[in-house]
C-alpha cells in the first residue's frame, strides 16, 4: 500500500474514532454538566487545565521523537527496542518529578484562584501523571507504524470507561469528583491496553549518548509545545481569577464543544506528524501536502462549527439547562479561532518535520502573548466577551508562522482554504451580524473550485477503499 493510501486509511480510522468519540462525549458531557452544574464543572476544569499543562510539559516531546524516526524495518527493530526503553525510563523520572512539583505548587495556585476545593482535586489528578506519561511509549510505537485502527479503538474504550464511571457518581452528587474518577479509569484502561496490544515489555535503561540524541530534538519540540499549552491556563488562571468558577465552566463547555466538533482537525494533525516526516526530502510535495491538508481541515471542520452556532442558542438551554446559556456567548469566537488554526495547522506539522522547532516556539510565544495580554486587559471590563475577543486577537500571530514556512518551502496556496475559512467564520455570527451571513457561506460553497475540491476528496477516499 502506498504512503498516501496508508495516510488516508489511518486518517479514516482516526476520523471515525473521533466522530464516535464526539457523539459519546456530547451525550456524556450533556448529562454530567446537567448533573453537577457550572460551578462544579468549572472547578474541575480549573484543576484539569493545570494538570493538562503539566502532562504536556512532562512528555518532553519524546513521543513525537519516536514517531518521527524512519520507517520501521526488521533491521532497525533491535535498535528501536533500546530507544523505547530509554524513552520509558526518562518519562518515569519526569512523572515522579512532576508529582513532587505538584505537591509544592498547587497550594500556591489555590491561593491565587481562591476556588474552594481546587487543591484537593488538582492533587488527585496529578497522581495520575506516571500512567499518562508512560502510555506515550506504546502509543508512539503504534503511531510510528501507522496502526491507527488499534489506536482508535483503545482510545474509544478509554472514553467509554470515563463516562461509565463518571455518570453514576455525578448523579449521586459527586460533583467535580465524578470527573476525577472517570479520568482515572480512562487512563488506567488505556495504559493497560496500549502495553498489551504492542506486547512492549519495558525495562529501565540509561544510555547518555541516546539521551542526548533524544533530547536534542525533543527539547526543541517541547519548548514550542510548552508555550502553546499555556493556552490551557488562560481559562483557569485568568477567567477563574477575574470571573469565578462558573465563568470557567462556561468557557470550558464552549471550548469542549469546539474541541469535539474539531475531531477531524485532531485526527489529521496527529497523522500529519508521521506522514510529513516521510516527505522531508521532497520540498515540492511537502508544500502541496500543506495546501491539500489545510483545505481538507477547513472543509471538514467548518460545517460542524456553523451548525452548532446556529442552533446552539436555541437548543443549549433546553438540553443543558438555562443556567448554561452564557456558554454560547463565547462559542463563536472560540470557533473562529479554531478555523484560523485549521488553516495554519499543517504549517506547524511541516516545520516540525523539518526540525524547525525553535521557529515554531517563537510563533507560539507571539500567539500566547496576544492571548494572555488581551485576556488580562479585557476580562475585567467585558466579562466573558473579553475572553472571546482575546481569541480573535490571536489570529494576527499566524503571520509569524507563514513567514517562517517561506524560509524552507514555497508558499502554500491559500485561495481555497482561506475563502472557506472566512465564509465559515462569518457564518458563525448570525445572531450578532444578522442572517445575511448565510448568503456569504452559500456563495462560497457553490463556487466551481469548491465543488472540484469536494470531488477530489471523494476520489481520494474511493482510492483508499480500493487500496485497502
Amino acid at each position: 500500500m502506498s504512503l498516501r493510501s496508508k495516510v488516508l486509511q489511518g486518517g479514516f480510522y482516526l476520523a471515525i474514532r473521533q466522530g464516535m468519540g464526539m457523539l459519546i462525549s456530547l451525550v456524556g458531557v450533556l448529562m454530567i454538566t446537567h448533573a453537577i452544574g457550572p460551578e462544579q464543572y468549572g472547578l474541575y476544569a480549573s484543576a484539569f487545565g493545570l494538570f493538562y499543562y503539566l502532562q504536556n510539559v512532562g512528555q518532553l516531546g519524546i513521543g513525537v521523537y519516536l514517531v518521527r524516526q524512519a520507517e520501521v524495518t526488521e533491521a532497525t527493530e533491535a535498535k528501536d527496542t533500546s530507544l523505547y526503553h530509554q524513552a520509558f525510563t526518562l518519562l518515569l523520572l519526569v512523572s515522579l518529578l512532576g508529582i513532587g512539583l505538584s505537591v509544592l505548587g498547587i497550594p500556591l495556585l489555590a491561593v491565587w484562584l481562591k476556588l474552594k476545593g481546587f487543591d484537593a482535586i488538582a492533587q488527585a489528578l496529578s497522581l495520575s501523571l506516571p500512567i499518562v506519561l508512560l502510555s506515550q511509549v506504546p502509543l508512539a510505537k503504534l503511531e510510528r507504524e501507522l496502526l491507527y485502527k488499534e489506536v482508535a479503538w483503545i482510545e474509544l474504550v478509554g472514553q467509554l470507561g470515563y463516562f461509565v464511571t463518571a455518570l453514576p457518581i455525578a448523579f449521586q452528587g459527586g460533583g467535580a469528583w465524578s470527573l476525577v474518577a472517570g479520568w482515572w479509569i480512562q487512563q488506567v484502561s488505556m495504559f493497560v491496553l496500549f502495553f498489551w496490544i504492542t506486547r512492549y515489555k519495558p525495562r529501565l535503561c540509561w544510555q547518555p549518548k541516546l539521551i542526548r540524541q533524544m533530547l536534542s530534538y525533543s527539547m526543541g519540540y517541547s519548548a514550542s509545545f510548552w508555550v502553546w499549552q499555556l493556552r490551557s491556563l488562560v481559562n483557569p488562571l485568568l477567567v477563574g481569577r477575574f470571573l469565578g468558577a462558573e465563568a470557567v465552566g462556561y468557557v470550558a463547555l464552549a471550548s469542549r464543544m469546539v474541541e469535539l466538533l474539531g475531531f477531524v482537525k485532531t485526527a489529521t494533525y496527529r497523522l500529519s506528524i508521521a506522514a510529513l516526516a516521510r516527505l522531508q526530502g521532497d520540498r515540492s510535495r511537502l508544500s502541496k501536502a500543506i495546501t491539500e491538508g489545510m483545505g481538507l481541515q477547513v472543509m471538514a471542520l467548518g460545517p460542524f462549527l456553523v451548525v452548532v452556532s446556529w442552533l446552539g442558542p436555541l437548543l443549549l438551554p433546553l438540553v443543558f439547562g438555562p443556567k448554561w446559556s452564557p456558554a454560547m456567548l463565547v462559542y463563536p469566537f472560540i470557533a473562529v479561532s479554531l478555523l484560523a488554526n485549521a488553516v495554519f495547522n499543517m504549517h506547524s506539522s511541516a516545520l516540525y518535520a523539518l526540525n524547525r522547532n525553535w521557529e515554531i516556539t517563537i510563533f507560539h510565544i507571539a500567539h500566547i502573548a496576544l492571548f494572555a495580554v488581551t485576556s488580562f486587559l479585557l476580562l475585567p471590563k467585558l466579562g466573558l466577551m473579553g475572553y472571546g475577543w482575546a481569541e480573535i486577537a490571536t489570529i494576527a500571530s499566524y503571520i509569524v508562522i507563514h513567514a517562517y514556512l517561506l524560509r524552507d518551502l514555497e508558499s502554500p496556496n491559500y485561495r481555497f482554504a482561506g475563502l472557506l475559512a472566512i465564509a465559515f467564520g462569518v457564518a458563525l455570527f448570525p445572531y450578532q451580524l444578522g442572517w445575511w451571513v448565510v448568503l456569504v457561506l452559500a456563495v462560497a460553497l457553490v463556487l466551481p473550485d469548491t465543488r472540484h475540491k469536494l470531488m477530489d476528496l471523494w476520489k481520494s477516499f474511493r482510492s483508499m477503499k480500493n487500496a485497502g
Side-chain angles (χ1 to χ4, degrees), residues 16-30 156 159-160 163 260-261 263 304:
I16 291 296
R17 173 266 180 272
Q18 295 285 352
M20 294 175 65
M22 178 187 71
L23 295 176
I24 294 170
S25 290
L26 284 176
V27 175
V29 169
L30 185 159
L156 189 61
Q159 189 176 34
L160 285 169
F163 286 110
L260 291 174
L261 295 169
F263 66 93
F304 292 104

Side-chain angles (χ1 to χ4, degrees), residues 124-320:
L125 289 172
S126 71
L127 293 175
S128 69
L129 191 60
I131 297 172
V132 175
L133 294 188
L134 295 179
S135 296
Q136 297 304 306
V137 178
L139 171 60
K141 193 173 189 301
L142 291 172
E143 291 192 338
R144 181 180 173 186
E145 298 173 14
L146 299 179
L147 298 178
Y148 286 98
K149 181 179 181 180
E150 289 78 0
V151 173
W153 284 111
I154 291 173
E155 291 180 345
L156 189 61
V157 169
Q159 189 176 34
L160 285 169
Y162 177 92
F163 286 110
V164 168
T165 303
L167 284 171
I169 299 175
F171 282 106
Q172 291 176 10
W177 284 102
S178 63
L179 298 173
V180 175
W183 169 258
W184 265 92
I185 294 298
Q186 179 185 29
Q187 298 309 311
V188 169
S189 62
M190 289 171 58
F191 177 88
V192 172
L193 289 172
F194 277 134
F195 277 89
W196 175 77
I197 201 166
T198 58
R199 299 294 193 269
Y200 171 62
K201 298 178 181 179
R203 291 204 325 260
L204 295 181
C205 176
W206 195 259
Q207 300 182 38
K209 183 179 180 180
L210 185 55
I211 292 172
R212 287 193 298 271
Q213 177 184 344
M214 188 177 297
L215 294 182
S216 65
Y217 169 82
S218 65
M219 289 303 292
Y221 172 83
S222 296
S224 67
F225 202 56
W226 293 346
V227 174
W228 182 258
Q229 290 303 320
L230 288 171
R231 272 189 135 267
S232 66
L233 301 183
V234 171
N235 187 25
L237 293 184
L238 295 181
V239 177
R241 171 70 175 182
F242 292 121
L243 304 180
E246 283 195 355
V248 173
Y250 298 140
V251 172
L253 179 61
S255 299
R256 180 65 171 160
M257 292 166 62
V258 170
E259 176 188 338
L260 291 174
L261 295 169
F263 66 93
V264 172
K265 174 181 170 294
T266 302
T268 53
Y269 177 76
R270 288 174 60 182
L271 192 62
S272 65
I273 293 291
L276 294 182
R278 303 188 182 191
L279 298 178
Q280 295 176 65
D282 192 335
R283 302 299 173 91
S284 178
R285 287 181 64 196
L286 190 55
S287 181
K288 291 178 181 178
I290 294 171
T291 298
E292 181 178 353
M294 63 187 186
L296 170 63
Q297 290 197 91
V298 173
M299 175 58 74
L301 180 64
F304 292 104
L305 296 176
V306 168
V307 168
V308 171
S309 184
W310 292 355
L311 301 180
L314 303 176
L315 297 181
L316 189 137
L318 298 176
V319 177
F320 289 86

Side-chain angles (χ1 to χ4, degrees), residues 188-468:
V188 169
S189 62
M190 289 171 58
F191 177 88
V192 172
L193 289 172
F194 277 134
F195 277 89
W196 175 77
I197 201 166
T198 58
R199 299 294 193 269
Y200 171 62
K201 298 178 181 179
R203 291 204 325 260
L204 295 181
C205 176
W206 195 259
Q207 300 182 38
K209 183 179 180 180
L210 185 55
I211 292 172
R212 287 193 298 271
Q213 177 184 344
M214 188 177 297
L215 294 182
S216 65
Y217 169 82
S218 65
M219 289 303 292
Y221 172 83
S222 296
S224 67
F225 202 56
W226 293 346
V227 174
W228 182 258
Q229 290 303 320
L230 288 171
R231 272 189 135 267
S232 66
L233 301 183
V234 171
N235 187 25
L237 293 184
L238 295 181
V239 177
R241 171 70 175 182
F242 292 121
L243 304 180
E246 283 195 355
V248 173
Y250 298 140
V251 172
L253 179 61
S255 299
R256 180 65 171 160
M257 292 166 62
V258 170
E259 176 188 338
L260 291 174
L261 295 169
F263 66 93
V264 172
K265 174 181 170 294
T266 302
T268 53
Y269 177 76
R270 288 174 60 182
L271 192 62
S272 65
I273 293 291
L276 294 182
R278 303 188 182 191
L279 298 178
Q280 295 176 65
D282 192 335
R283 302 299 173 91
S284 178
R285 287 181 64 196
L286 190 55
S287 181
K288 291 178 181 178
I290 294 171
T291 298
E292 181 178 353
M294 63 187 186
L296 170 63
Q297 290 197 91
V298 173
M299 175 58 74
L301 180 64
F304 292 104
L305 296 176
V306 168
V307 168
V308 171
S309 184
W310 292 355
L311 301 180
L314 303 176
L315 297 181
L316 189 137
L318 298 176
V319 177
F320 289 86
K323 57 189 175 182
W324 283 101
S325 294
M328 289 307 300
L329 293 176
V330 293
Y331 169 85
F333 294 92
I334 298 173
V336 166
S337 181
L338 185 67
L339 275 174
N341 184 260
V343 174
F344 294 92
N345 193 36
M346 300 296 290
H347 295 51
S348 295
S349 298
L351 289 175
Y352 279 133
L354 296 171
N355 205 18
R356 300 294 189 265
N357 299 326
W358 294 109
E359 295 178 351
I360 301 175
T361 301
I362 295 172
F363 155 64
H364 286 172
I365 290 172
H367 184 96
I368 297 303
L370 279 172
F371 192 28
V373 171
T374 309
S375 296
F376 184 83
L377 294 175
L378 296 184
L379 278 169
K381 299 178 180 180
L382 302 179
L384 283 175
M385 295 300 292
Y387 182 90
W389 283 111
E391 287 277 14
I392 298 296
T394 63
I395 296 176
S397 67
Y398 291 107
I399 297 173
V400 177
I401 198 169
H402 171 74
Y404 279 132
L405 188 75
L406 292 185
R407 292 185 177 185
D408 295 291
L409 303 173
E410 62 185 64
S411 176
N413 189 334
Y414 291 98
R415 185 175 63 181
F416 175 66
L419 173 65
L420 283 183
I422 292 172
F424 282 125
V426 172
L428 287 165
F429 294 92
Y431 297 97
Q432 295 85 354
L433 301 177
W435 285 95
W436 60 268
V437 299
V438 179
L439 181 61
V440 174
L441 180 59
V443 170
L445 291 177
V446 299
L447 289 175
D449 194 28
T450 306
R451 297 200 308 270
H452 293 158
K453 291 289 184 181
L454 288 174
M455 290 299 298
D456 288 342
L457 178 61
W458 172 250
K459 290 177 181 178
S460 296
F461 277 105
R462 286 289 298 269
S463 64
M464 176 207 71
K465 182 178 179 182
N466 294 333

